Amino acid sequence: LGGAQLNCSHVQPKAPPQFCTFSWALHTMTSDQKIVEGSFSLPPGASNVQVYQGSGFDSALSNPIVICRGNH
């Protein structure tokens, strides 16, 4: 089965932690569209953190949209 995975990094070690949300339009094996969404936190210096993984997809209909802001 086809899969989708989204990894993120927070490369500035002295910046505040980031709170992020994402939205991603994916095409399923059954020819449907599915929007996957979620939120996550990234500590400073985090590298290549897996924030989403799913199966049953054969292609992406859009690039993932990820919006992050610092926790103050």
Side-chain angles (χ1 to χ4, degrees):
L1 292 174
Q5 183 172 316
L6 179 61
N7 293 347
C8 290
S9 298
H10 182 6
V11 297
Q12 298 179 350
K14 295 186 179 182
Q18 298 287 300
F19 177 77
C20 306
T21 57
F22 73 90
S23 178
W24 197 5
L26 299 167
H27 190 261
T28 68
M29 299 273 201
T30 57
S31 297
D32 291 323
Q33 176 180 324
K34 182 174 181 182
I35 305 291
V36 295
E37 298 176 305
S39 60
F40 56 93
S41 292
L42 284 177
S47 179
N48 205 28
V49 176
Q50 180 180 304
V51 297
Y52 174 79
Q53 182 169 340
S55 61
F57 304 107
D58 61 10
S59 63
L61 297 173
S62 72
N63 289 325
I65 298 168
V66 181
I67 298 171
C68 297
R69 68 179 190 276
N71 290 336
H72 295 290

